[in-house]
Amino acid sequence: MAMFFKKKQKKEFEVDYNNIPEHIAIIMDGNGRWAKKRALPRSAGHAAGAKTLDKIVRFAESIGVKYVTVYAFSTENWKRPKAEVDALMRLMIDYLDDYKRVLGGENIRIKIIGRREELSDEINEKINIVENATKDNDKITLTLAVNYGGREEITYAAGKIAQKVKNGELGADDITEETFAKELYTNYLPEPDLIIRPSGELRLSNFLLWQSAYSEFWFSDICWPDFSKDDLLKAISDFQHRNRRFGGV
Ligand code: FPP
């Protein structure tokens, strides 16, 4: 089934609903600039970004996307002013507390990837509750990358592999892409088909370094809080016109 959508700027795009990407990853960028344009504190931009996340996940679920993975806080984000870090952590706690209201009834499984050690006991406790409460939901999986960095993830996986070799559970010859990927935080996820980064930046910023080897990228100038359902459809439509060869011909 193919449907046409008319964008406000009178651009038309076609979406093939039989070819929806299974896994979409998003770098939710531009919250700070969105807030600045409105003379609001940066934390207001992040709060608006969290609302956009709910809207986009529900919509993604409704069109058949099976996995959405978002960059919520990177291992480098600790360098931000303490007030902003505190506000982001508070937002995270409220989001996890409120998951039933914001995402409840939508059959959404919620998972968190990243280093837990630096997160507060309160956040870790909420993460455990939400992951456990949603573990049997199977319509869509929303993964929040929190205190996540691609290099940290790969280093952590290498450490786990080294430990297994040391313990005699794994031989050096058994280290393959498959055995390695099993030690990544994302071992329950397929690789992302499409990675979206709004707000005009054209980089990966340490997000899903291993997993993005053959992902398609989609960039736009929209700040994340303004990201709409139509923008998602436009990204999907562009994705459907790419020729994915995975290194073949
Ligand atoms: C980047 O925009 C965004 C972040 C570092 C945080 C993203 C977090 C959210 C959208 C909020 C919440 C998520 C959950 C799950 C509660 P930026 O601040 O770098 O924007 P700028 O480049 O315009 O300054």
Side-chain angles (χ1 to χ4, degrees):
M1 178 186 41
M3 285 179 76
F4 284 93
F5 284 83
K6 239 184 175 132
K7 291 266 293 175
K8 278 185 203 114
Q9 59 268 49
K10 304 234 181 314
K11 246 196 220 158
E12 282 183 351
F13 55 90
E14 191 185 355
V15 174
D16 175 359
Y17 284 90
N18 293 316
N19 183 26
I20 293 293
E22 185 184 24
H23 183 183
I24 298 180
I26 306 173
I27 300 175
M28 304 185 289
D29 198 10
N31 299 337
R33 276 162 285 170
W34 181 93
K36 195 172 177 201
K37 265 190 249 159
R38 290 159 179 81
L40 292 168
R42 293 176 59 83
S43 55
H46 297 314
K51 288 211 172 92
T52 300
L53 174 62
D54 286 338
K55 176 183 75 184
I56 293 301
V57 173
R58 284 162 194 263
F59 182 62
E61 186 231 287
S62 76
I63 59 172
V65 177
K66 298 302 291 177
Y67 303 91
V68 171
T69 301
V70 295
Y71 214 178
F73 192 89
S74 78
T75 44
E76 288 73 37
N77 286 153
W78 298 105
K79 293 182 210 150
R80 295 187 175 210
K82 185 174 181 305
E84 183 176 349
V85 170
D86 288 349
L88 270 166
M89 291 299 153
R90 193 70 250 161
L91 193 59
M92 214 78 72
I93 289 168
D94 291 346
Y95 193 86
L96 292 169
D97 263 345
D98 251 16
Y99 82 95
K100 274 193 188 140
R101 187 182 57 75
V102 292
L103 294 168
E106 308 282 328
N107 205 357
I108 295 174
R109 174 169 68 145
I110 300 176
K111 298 275 286 176
I112 283 78
I113 54 170
R115 252 179 83 83
R116 296 280 176 91
E117 284 83 344
E118 287 86 14
L119 299 176
S120 69
D121 290 347
E122 188 181 9
I123 294 194
N124 273 309
E125 196 184 307
K126 308 274 177 204
I127 289 174
N128 292 339
I129 291 171
V130 171
E131 284 193 333
N132 197 43
T134 63
K135 70 179 183 338
D136 296 326
N137 293 351
D138 57 6
K139 194 84 192 292
I140 189 169
T141 297
L142 167 63
T143 299
L144 307 173
V146 181
N147 195 25
Y148 173 87
R151 288 181 179 176
E152 192 283 324
E153 178 185 38
I154 291 168
T155 311
Y156 171 80
K160 299 246 291 190
I161 294 270
Q163 198 59 51
K164 283 194 171 170
V165 173
K166 195 174 159 203
N167 296 346
E169 290 167 51
L170 201 68
D173 293 343
D174 299 326
I175 305 171
T176 62
E177 291 187 16
E178 285 70 31
T179 52
F180 195 87
K182 279 197 187 126
E183 304 301 335
L184 297 171
Y185 298 132
T186 53
N187 53 14
Y188 60 94
L189 284 172
E191 291 178 1
D193 301 293
L194 172 63
I195 297 183
I196 293 175
R197 181 166 196 164
S199 97
E201 311 292 355
L202 308 178
R203 56 178 173 265
L204 206 43
S205 299
N206 206 11
F207 190 42
L208 302 178
L209 295 183
W210 172 285
Q211 300 84 344
S212 60
Y214 287 102
S215 303
E216 295 293 327
F217 289 84
W218 193 84
F219 298 103
S220 90
D221 289 337
I222 307 146
C223 287
W224 172 249
D226 288 331
F227 198 87
S228 67
K229 295 174 187 174
D230 259 10
D231 293 320
L232 185 68
L233 290 175
K234 177 79 174 73
I236 291 174
S237 172
D238 286 353
F239 166 85
Q240 290 172 340
H241 290 91
R242 308 266 178 96
N243 179 12
R244 301 185 80 192
R245 291 190 297 279
F246 299 95
V249 284

